[in-house]
């Protein structure tokens, strides 16, 4: 499983590097060849506008994976910062930050995202930022718990005895020693961010057509599901494999 | 005799268990001399060490370092106190950050107290390693690649790196085997004589304390008595 997950991410990386070369093909419509099943000329078939599905999936990977990486980066950064500060300082600051975290966890996140997009409008950057800003709570709790146990360790006391200030202790000693669970959290976060992006695009408020993303390719497939199975199967499989690989890899890194 | 550190009626109770870990402790450490502190495990010795360095807030009483109350220290005053009072812990591996190399561990005090350049640090690290009897190539090692005794030597090097006036040794040899213990104790004695460092030497082992100290106090259930 682990090797399969790694292999899939290698393939994804290659696809991401290659995606600019497929941009033109992904947008090229050919009305004489709509809804063609997989063949030699169109490896994964064509959609209802005669566009090559393979090219669209490759370009969509850039969008879907790009959005989720950016989102995870934002949420991990925020969560780590808030969790470490809460755990290290304790007392009032801890109560405040954890209160904020509980509050944020109470929101039905998906509907919050829907509402925000309804106001701001969709787009690559907006989607990434909004998914990131609503995903930091789990990381914050995790990092806080790690820091709470780390800060009593003797090497942290030794650093304090040397006169190290809070920023040095937090960023030099505490966060690096919590790196493993943070990385696990990040990798698992990628899978949920991909799902969220796909769901948003599927609902038509994510990445805007004609720019392809795995979610909106699936959305397009809905109308012709009865006659063109390949339009739903392949983007669905891409999402499935990526999420599965991220989960498997996350669990593997988390093993001591 | 002139004292470097004084504690008056120090108290600390841990609310969760209602244990009086430190109960009305008064002591004074003379400049350049060693005060020994013996007591069985769990009698509050380590808590006392942390209180004396201000690493834990006390419930009552006060600590004076060089005539200044440490609870009231701020900014430059606090930094100066931190530079001058150091601690060596019991567990050699736990007191070194597992992710940093020896070179980085020994450079940290200089980073905290000033912004040194690379060649100065390199020279200092080499000097410190030599002072505690470790070969120069240890600078690239991680704590997990060192034995307990070697870790403790690194911890000692870190503690004396800024030429402190006082070092609190909290059971520095208790988790080492006898032969290594002797080596570490002799190293501590030598460094102390070289630089005239005052020392509070905490241990549950009376023989070790006798070997190290000019004067000995005894601690039992949080209280201090003459020995």
């Amino acid at each position: 499983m682990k090797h399969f997950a790694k292999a899939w991410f290698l393939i994804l990386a290659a696809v991401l590097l290659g995606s600019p070369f497929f941009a033109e093909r992904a947008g090229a419509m050919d009305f004489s060849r709509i809804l063609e099943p997989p063949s030699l000329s169109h490896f994964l078939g064509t959609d209802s506008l005669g566009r090559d599905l393979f090219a669209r999936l490759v370009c969509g990977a850039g969008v879907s994976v790009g959005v989720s990486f950016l989102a995870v980066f934002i949420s991990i950064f925020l969560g780590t910062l808030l969790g470490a500060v809460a755990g290290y300082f304790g007392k009032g600051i801890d109560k405040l930050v954890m209160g904020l975290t509980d509050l944020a966890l109470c929101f039905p996140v998906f509907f919050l995202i829907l509402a925000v997009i309804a106001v701001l409008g969709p787009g690559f950057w907006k989607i990434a930022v909004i998914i990131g800003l609503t995903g930091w709570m789990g990381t914050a709790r995790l990092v806080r718990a790690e820091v709470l146990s780390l800060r009593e360790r003797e090497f942290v006391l030794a650093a304090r005895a040397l006169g190290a200030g809070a920023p040095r202790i937090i960023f030099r000693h505490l966060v690096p020693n919590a790196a493993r669970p943070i990385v696990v959290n990040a990798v698992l976060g990628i899978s949920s961010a991909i799902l969220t992006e796909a769901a948003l695009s599927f609902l038509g408020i994510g990445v805007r057509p004609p720019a392809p993303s795995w979610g909106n390719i699936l959305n397009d497939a809905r109308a012709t599901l009865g006659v063109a199975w390949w339009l739903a199967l392949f983007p669905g499989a891409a999402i499935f494999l990526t999420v599965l690989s991220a989960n498997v890899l996350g669990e593997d890194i988390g093993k001591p | 005799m002139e004292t470097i550190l004084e504690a008056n009626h120090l108290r600390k109770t841990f609310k969760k268990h209602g244990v009086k870990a430190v109960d009305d402790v008064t002591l004074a450490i003379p400049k350049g001399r060693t005060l020994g502190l013996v007591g069985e495990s769990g009698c509050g010795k380590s808590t006392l060490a942390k209180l004396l360095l201000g690493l834990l807030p006390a419930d009552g009483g006060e600590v004076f370092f060089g005539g200044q109350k440490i609870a009231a220290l701020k900014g430059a005053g606090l930094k100066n106190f931190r530079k001058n009072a150091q601690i060596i812990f019991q567990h050699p591996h736990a007191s070194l950050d597992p992710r940093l190399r020896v070179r980085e561990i020994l450079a940290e005090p200089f980073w905290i107290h000033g912004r040194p350049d690379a060649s100065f640090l390199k020279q200092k690290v080499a000097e410190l390693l030599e002072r505690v009897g470790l070969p120069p190539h240890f600078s690239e090692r991680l704590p997990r690649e060192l034995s307990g005794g070697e870790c403790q030597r690194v911890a000692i090097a870190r503690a004396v790196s800024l030429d402190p006036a006082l070092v609190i040794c909290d059971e520095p040899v208790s988790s080492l085997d006898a032969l290594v213990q002797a080596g570490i104790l002799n190293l501590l004695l030598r460094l102390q004589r070289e630089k005239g460092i005052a020392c509070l030497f905490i241990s549950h082992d009376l023989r070790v304390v006798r070997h190290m100290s000019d004067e000995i106090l005894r601690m039992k259930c949080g209280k201090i008595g003459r020995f």
Side-chain angles (χ1 to χ4, degrees):
Chain A
M1 271 310 260
K2 183 177 90 182
H3 297 293
F4 169 78
K6 280 183 185 158
W8 178 252
F9 269 104
L10 278 180
I11 293 171
L12 261 189
V15 160
L16 288 181
L17 286 177
S19 66
F21 302 107
F22 287 88
E24 204 182 329
R25 268 192 89 188
M29 294 180 267
D30 180 354
F31 292 109
S32 63
R33 313 190 62 172
I34 60 169
L35 296 177
E36 278 189 10
S39 65
L40 280 178
S41 60
H42 293 290
F43 180 46
L44 297 179
T46 61
D47 68 3
S48 56
L49 296 173
R51 295 175 296 191
D52 181 61
L53 181 60
F54 180 71
R56 289 184 65 71
L57 277 184
V58 167
C59 289
V63 175
S64 293
V65 175
V67 164
S68 60
F69 270 57
L70 193 62
V72 164
F73 184 80
I74 294 170
S75 64
I76 290 291
F77 177 81
L78 268 181
T80 302
L81 189 69
L82 288 170
V85 165
Y88 181 70
F89 289 105
K91 296 189 191 122
I93 295 177
D94 186 26
K95 286 210 178 94
L96 184 76
V97 174
M98 283 303 113
L100 198 71
T101 308
D102 290 339
L103 199 71
L105 278 170
C106 290
F107 279 115
V109 168
F110 198 75
F111 293 99
L112 183 69
I113 297 175
L114 286 184
V116 172
I117 304 259
V119 175
L120 294 180
F124 180 96
W125 292 96
K126 285 178 209 160
I127 300 279
V129 170
I130 189 69
I131 295 176
L133 288 181
T134 51
W136 53 270
M137 292 82 78
T139 315
R141 283 188 159 181
L142 179 92
V143 173
R144 171 181 173 270
E146 284 289 318
V147 165
L148 276 181
S149 78
L150 282 171
R151 74 169 183 183
E152 301 301 328
R153 296 264 294 273
E154 288 178 348
F155 69 84
V156 176
L157 282 177
R160 281 177 59 203
L162 280 168
R168 168 171 277 273
I169 290 177
I170 289 174
F171 294 110
R172 181 80 167 159
H173 297 291
L174 296 176
V175 172
N177 277 292
R180 186 191 284 267
I182 294 175
V183 169
V184 172
N185 210 248
V187 176
L188 297 179
I190 287 171
S191 70
S192 76
I194 283 187
L195 286 176
T196 308
E197 186 279 326
L200 287 172
S201 295
F202 181 77
L203 292 176
I205 56 165
V207 178
R208 269 202 169 144
S213 93
W214 291 347
N216 70 26
I217 297 173
L218 261 183
N219 188 23
D220 289 343
R222 212 163 35 111
T224 53
L225 197 58
V227 287
W229 52 268
W230 56 92
L231 284 180
L233 179 70
F234 295 119
I239 294 169
F240 171 77
L241 287 175
T242 309
V243 170
L244 181 70
S245 301
N247 285 340
V248 168
L249 270 191
E251 299 224 343
D252 183 60
I253 300 169
K255 270 186 217 150
Chain B
M1 190 181 294
E2 210 179 343
T3 61
I4 182 83
L5 185 122
E6 263 183 78
N8 294 327
H9 307 289
L10 219 47
R11 282 190 297 108
K12 178 80 185 174
T13 308
F14 288 109
K15 276 182 209 132
K16 215 190 267 172
H17 315 289
V19 179
K20 284 185 181 174
V22 173
D23 189 5
D24 198 25
V25 167
T26 297
L27 58 79
I29 305 169
K31 250 185 189 158
R33 315 230 327 152
T34 300
L35 181 65
L37 184 67
V38 272
E40 50 205 76
S41 42
C43 74
K45 304 185 303 275
S46 292
T47 307
L48 178 61
K50 285 174 198 165
L51 291 178
L52 291 177
L53 286 182
L55 295 176
L56 263 183
D59 294 336
E62 53 223 349
V63 181
F64 293 92
F65 183 84
Q68 282 178 308
K69 194 169 160 181
I70 64 159
L73 286 174
K74 276 195 196 109
L78 183 64
K79 218 154 192 188
N80 186 49
F81 167 61
R82 292 279 176 235
K83 187 167 176 266
N84 270 299
Q86 278 308 310
I87 185 161
I88 298 165
F89 291 103
Q90 174 178 1
H91 305 289
H93 282 101
S95 65
L96 305 178
D97 188 329
R99 297 185 68 98
L100 296 185
R101 294 185 185 281
V102 168
R103 149 174 72 77
E104 296 166 308
I105 291 167
L106 293 181
E108 186 158 40
F110 301 103
W111 279 112
I112 295 167
H113 298 273
R115 294 274 170 271
D117 59 88
S119 64
F120 172 81
L121 280 182
K122 210 169 172 182
Q123 181 205 334
K124 274 288 177 190
V125 169
E127 226 175 85
L128 284 169
L129 283 174
E130 198 195 328
R131 268 174 79 185
V132 296
L134 292 174
H137 67 265
F138 270 44
S139 63
E140 290 302 322
R141 294 221 179 158
L142 289 167
R144 65 164 179 271
E145 296 163 341
L146 302 176
S147 71
E150 287 161 352
C151 272
Q152 206 58 308
R153 282 174 192 267
V154 174
I156 292 169
R158 177 176 60 186
V160 300
S161 59
L162 298 168
D163 289 325
L166 168 73
V167 175
I168 293 182
C169 305
D170 183 8
E171 304 255 18
V173 295
S174 313
S175 49
L176 305 174
D177 60 56
L179 203 64
V180 183
Q181 275 195 9
I184 297 284
L185 291 175
N186 288 334
L187 170 69
L188 282 171
L189 278 176
R190 180 166 61 79
L191 289 174
Q192 205 192 347
R193 278 189 201 125
E194 271 172 21
K195 298 278 176 177
I197 302 170
C199 182
L200 175 67
F201 194 92
I202 302 174
S203 178
H204 64 271
D205 187 339
L206 186 57
R207 284 173 315 154
V208 172
V209 176
R210 277 223 173 99
H211 181 66
M212 298 295 291
S213 315
D214 299 306
E215 191 190 346
I216 299 176
L217 295 175
R218 181 187 166 171
M219 195 163 181
K220 197 174 182 186
C221 298
K223 286 188 193 297
I224 285 263
R226 284 275 137 211
F227 192 72

